[in-house]
Every structure is written in C-alpha cells, then in structure tokens.
Amino acid sequence: MSRYLTRRLGQALLVVSGVVVLTFVVMRLVPGDPAVAFAGPKATPEELAAARRQFGLDDPIPVQLLNYVRDLLTGDWGVSLRTRQPVLDDLYVAFPASLELVGTALVIAVVVGIPVGVLAARYKAKFPDLGVRFGSMLAVSVPVFWLALALQTVFASNLGWFPIAGEYDSSLDTTSPLTLWTNITIVDALITGNWPIFTSTLQHLVLPALVVAAYPTGVIAQMTRAALIEESGQDHSKLERALGFGETSILTRFALRPALNPVLSLIALVFAYAIVNGFLVEAVFNWPGLGRYAAESIKSLDTPAIAGVTLLVALVYVLANLVVDILQGFVDPRARQR
C-alpha cells in the first residue's frame, strides 16, 4: 500500500507541475499588457515601468517561471487587476460558494445515481432498465443552461416554489447576520445555529443543485449499471447463484463493492467537471461562486485571476483523483497493482 500511495503522489505532483507550467505559458500568451491593465490606459511611462517591475515582466522568461513557482508555493498567487486584491483572497471568498453548490449536487448524484444503477442492473432489458437508461441519457445530453432556465421559469417564476436567484435572502444580513467560519454559507449557518439563513440557503440551493446534479447522476447511473452487469457475469457470481443466492442479493452483497471502483473514478472526474459546468449555472442563478468571478475576470482580461481560477480547478481535480485512488486501494486490493 505504501508503494501504491507513493506512486500515486508522484503522479499527482507531475500533473500539478505540468498545470503550473501550462498556466504560466497561457498567461504570457494572453493578448494585452498586464502592466497597462493594472496601471490604467492613462498611466505615465514611469507608472508603467513601475508596474512591470512589480510583476517582474522585465525579467527573462525562465526567471519569471521560477519566481511564479516560488510565489505559488509561498501563497502569493498574484494581485487581481480588477479587484486589486490578492487573487488567493478572492478565491477564498468565491470558491466556498461553488464548493457548496457542487458538493450538494454530487451528494444528490451519488444518492440517486448508484441505487438507480443497481435497479437497472437488477432488471436488465426490462422496463425499469429501459426507463433508467432513457432518463440517464436525457440527463447527460440536455444542455445545462437550458435546464437551468427551464427549472427557473417553471418552479421559481411561474409556481413560486423556490427563489429565482441568489445564495440566500440578502435582507437576512441585517436581521440575522451570519458569523463566518468556513465561508460555506450553509455550513456556517448550521454551526452557528443561524436557522433563518440556513433555511433560506437550502431553498435557494435546490434548483441550481438539481441542474448541476443532472449530468453526474446520469453518468453515475450508467456506470453503476454497466459495472454491476459485468460483475454479475464473473465466476464468483455464478458460484453465488449455485449456492442459492438471489439476483438482488448477489448484486448488493457481492457485486456492488468491486463494481464501485470505476464509479469512484468517475465521481472524481465529474466533480471537477461539475465545478466548471457549474459556471453557467452560477451565471443563470446569480450564484456568488467561481463562475461569476471567472466571468468578470475574463471580461476585464484579468490574467492573474484567470490563472488562479484555472490552477485552483486543476488542483481540485488532481486532489479528487488522488483521494479516489487512495479509496480504491483500500476498497479493492487489486487496484494497488495498477
């Protein structure tokens, strides 16, 4: 197990190193001069020169790369050209909101997708299986922005069952101010017992979380079904049938655990995908997360902020895969040989 963990950590470090270099190169290829964006279009030559020195733009490219890596390791991700705040501080505010949305969506996807996949595998080629396959295909293929607008129109605008946008009712900032601990609103409200904001956040979270959960639920259901059908044809499943176990018992007691290996890998993939996919959902529902921050940064050509968002998403993706690899090593010893 120790060799397996060392190998996976080494691979993760290689991927992160590649992302850092790629991010640096993209920052240098983006049109425009960061010094002009920071100092302003009416800046004097002296002010532009000072901005270039501040960002190290006059140094040779290898020196700039080394300085960039050093700054990242020491927590200096640069200064946003738009907000004039450290990028890491901006991400500390924006990322928890995205994590709140995507985390809720993944919980929905796992809780719904795995049981639905088991149901489809149990009744293979029958009506429940056909229904699950059609529903999962629809969930995977429907455009996320269309689904967001449809749910917002039907359940918020027409029926009024849920709020139309935002993270919670902003008037509660005056009547029930929230004490921040993690910057994740629903968690902080639960920790501090701020029930008005907790209830309001739950109501605001339902529609965007369902939209973000649609794609992961579909692919998790399909993968669970396929993995269980494959496992049910293995020799151990044939032996269990010979011993008198029913199909449901074989699937849930014996086949499900090894079948979860590809599902766990898929969850790591859809987690990173859901963060990026959630950018559109955040725009539709005015959710104050990475999506809104990235969109505003792109509009203003804020290269340090864009690079920060890119690097953060990549780090989350690598970390999610690393956690899944470790879990797979514990769940299935065969995974340690890969």
Side-chain angles (χ1 to χ4, degrees):
M1 187 65 183
S2 60
R3 288 196 300 271
Y4 172 76
L5 292 177
T6 303
R7 189 166 62 250
R8 289 297 187 236
L9 283 172
Q11 292 172 352
L13 288 175
L14 282 176
V15 173
V16 171
S17 301
V19 170
V20 169
V21 173
L22 183 61
T23 303
F24 173 81
V25 171
V26 171
M27 285 177 61
R28 294 301 179 268
L29 294 178
V30 171
D33 188 347
V36 175
F38 183 79
K42 298 182 179 180
T44 63
E46 292 77 14
E47 291 172 335
L48 287 176
R52 293 186 68 83
R53 285 195 302 271
Q54 178 180 346
F55 290 106
L57 298 176
D58 294 329
D59 297 330
I61 295 297
V63 175
Q64 292 184 40
L65 176 59
L66 290 176
N67 291 337
Y68 179 65
V69 174
R70 180 201 62 198
D71 292 341
L72 289 178
L73 293 176
T74 56
D76 181 5
W77 287 28
V79 177
S80 169
L81 305 178
R82 180 177 57 87
T83 66
R84 305 300 175 94
Q85 298 295 323
V87 171
L88 208 56
D89 291 350
D90 288 344
L91 295 177
Y92 180 72
V93 174
F95 181 61
S98 293
L99 191 62
E100 177 182 50
L101 175 59
V102 173
T104 304
L106 277 187
V107 169
I108 295 173
V110 171
V111 169
V112 175
I114 292 179
V116 163
V118 174
L119 178 67
R122 173 63 182 85
Y123 296 99
K124 178 184 174 183
K126 297 182 180 178
F127 180 75
D129 180 30
L130 297 177
V132 169
R133 290 165 64 185
F134 175 78
S136 60
M137 182 177 64
L138 188 64
V140 168
S141 59
V142 66
V144 64
F145 63 87
W146 183 89
L147 182 60
L149 290 172
L151 292 185
Q152 192 179 60
T153 301
V154 174
F155 295 103
S157 298
N158 294 342
L159 297 178
W161 290 358
F162 300 101
I164 194 168
E167 189 178 15
Y168 61 89
D169 187 351
S170 58
S171 64
L172 294 175
D173 287 331
T174 303
T175 59
S176 303
L178 179 64
T179 302
L180 298 178
W181 290 81
T182 66
N183 261 20
I184 301 176
T185 302
I186 197 166
V187 174
D188 291 338
L190 183 62
I191 292 175
T192 59
N194 193 326
W195 304 119
I197 287 187
F198 180 80
T199 304
S200 179
T201 304
L202 277 181
Q203 292 172 341
H204 283 77
L205 194 56
V206 171
L207 293 183
L210 287 176
V211 175
V212 176
Y215 179 87
T217 301
V219 293
I220 288 174
Q222 290 179 351
M223 179 61 75
T224 303
R225 173 189 178 275
L228 281 174
I229 290 175
E230 182 180 354
E231 282 295 324
S232 66
Q234 300 295 324
D235 291 340
H236 68 84
S237 297
K238 297 176 182 178
L239 176 61
E240 289 145 12
R241 290 189 187 92
L243 292 174
F245 289 99
E247 286 298 318
T248 302
S249 181
I250 292 173
L251 290 176
T252 56
R253 292 179 59 185
F254 303 107
L256 183 59
R257 180 173 175 178
L260 284 179
N261 264 329
V263 177
L264 287 174
S265 299
L266 184 66
I267 290 173
L269 291 174
V270 298
F271 177 68
Y273 175 83
I275 291 179
V276 178
N277 200 36
F279 285 7
L280 289 173
V281 180
E282 290 180 9
V284 173
F285 287 97
N286 195 28
W287 194 265
L290 277 180
R292 188 166 72 182
Y293 180 73
E296 293 172 351
S297 300
I298 292 171
K299 284 191 295 185
S300 59
L301 285 179
D302 188 350
T303 51
I306 296 169
V309 172
T310 304
L311 187 59
L312 178 60
V313 171
L315 289 174
V316 169
Y317 173 78
V318 171
L319 182 61
N321 275 277
L322 182 60
V323 170
V324 167
D325 286 341
I326 293 173
L327 290 176
Q328 283 183 324
F330 283 107
V331 171
D332 187 358
R334 296 175 299 177
R336 306 173 196 173
Q337 308 303 320
R338 294 202 297 266

